[in-house]
Amino acid sequence: PNEEIVTVAGDTPKPVETALIVFGLMGVAVGAFHWSASDWLVAAKQAAAQWLVDHGILWPLETTLPWWLLTNYPDQNDVLTLLDGALLLAYIATAALVLGGAIAACMALATRSLGRWSWPRFHHLVQSLIPLAACGVFLGLSALTVTMLRTEGFALGFAGVLRAALLAGASLWSLWLGWRIAGRYRDSLIRRSISLIPIIAAIGLNDLSWALLFFGE
């Protein structure tokens, strides 16, 4: 697996894969898993609702859509209005742009630190984030499973430690891949070491986003 990323990915750089990793797996996915526990989204919803009420615009607060578009289970007090849906999509899009943009900027700095700007090199370096991106999606998808098991009475006190260990392992794996990829473009240990600084920053941004979800309480 390492060789495929370090060697093969460098021979056939694909911008679409870069967009998927940075803005999809490390952007959209984070927003999609974060929104249900986000204080920012709650604050935005309250502010938007207050503005709508003050201006006599009530239909976004009352209109719902079928369950296959927005959650609509009134018998269980689980309903999303048009306002909820709009803010939810806006939140995910903002997370994707802000977090994905910041990570892309870090990888761009790493690219530039290895020499003149090169799009193929940029796309190649982004491939080093695959382990971390995959780990984040796994943690996000497993969160619901952990919640359901806990409601059934299973004691999962090790979940936090396991999540931290998985993130740490994926982070070190991505850092190792970044070091090896940088070695394909520069033999100088100093230049390669400098290129790791922005890569570490990108990894830190991703880890921080998951830490806020799982360990922010």
Side-chain angles (χ1 to χ4, degrees):
N2 290 345
E3 199 62 26
E4 183 177 358
I5 292 174
V6 174
T7 302
V8 178
D11 296 334
T12 56
K14 298 179 180 179
V16 67
E17 292 182 358
T18 296
L20 174 62
I21 295 168
V22 175
F23 292 100
L25 299 177
M26 304 181 79
V28 171
V30 171
F33 293 124
H34 264 256
W35 72 268
S36 61
S38 174
D39 294 334
W40 299 330
L41 182 61
V42 172
K45 178 182 176 181
Q46 292 175 343
Q50 185 62 50
W51 186 90
L52 290 172
V53 170
D54 291 342
H55 290 77
I57 306 173
L58 301 181
W59 61 267
L61 303 173
E62 300 171 347
T63 305
T64 60
L65 294 175
W67 63 268
W68 42 272
L69 286 175
L70 284 176
T71 301
N72 191 359
Y73 303 103
D75 295 340
Q76 301 178 27
N77 295 319
D78 190 9
V79 176
L80 291 179
T81 64
L82 284 182
L83 176 63
D84 296 324
L87 290 177
L88 169 58
L89 293 176
Y91 183 87
I92 295 175
T94 300
L97 292 175
V98 172
L99 185 58
I103 291 174
C106 290
M107 302 310 291
L109 287 175
T111 303
R112 188 65 181 83
S113 68
L114 292 171
R116 297 177 59 182
W117 177 257
S118 168
W119 280 109
R121 190 194 310 139
F122 170 74
H123 296 312
H124 194 189
L125 282 172
V126 168
Q127 294 279 319
S128 68
L129 299 176
I130 287 178
L132 195 58
C135 180
V137 173
F138 173 79
L139 290 178
L141 290 173
S142 65
L144 179 59
T145 302
V146 171
T147 300
M148 294 175 67
L149 288 174
R150 282 175 171 166
T151 59
E152 293 296 329
F154 288 89
L156 300 176
F158 60 87
V161 176
L162 182 58
R163 285 165 173 162
L166 288 173
L167 270 179
S171 298
L172 291 175
W173 190 358
S174 287
L175 190 61
W176 171 243
L177 288 173
W179 173 258
R180 291 192 59 190
I181 291 173
R184 291 199 64 192
Y185 300 100
R186 286 292 178 271
D187 293 329
S188 170
L189 293 180
I190 295 178
R191 293 294 291 272
R192 290 174 69 184
S193 298
I194 292 175
S195 72
L196 286 187
I197 296 176
I199 294 178
I200 291 173
I203 292 173
L205 285 172
N206 180 81
D207 289 352
L208 177 60
S209 66
W210 291 112
L212 289 174
L213 176 62
F214 293 122
F215 312 111
E217 297 181 357

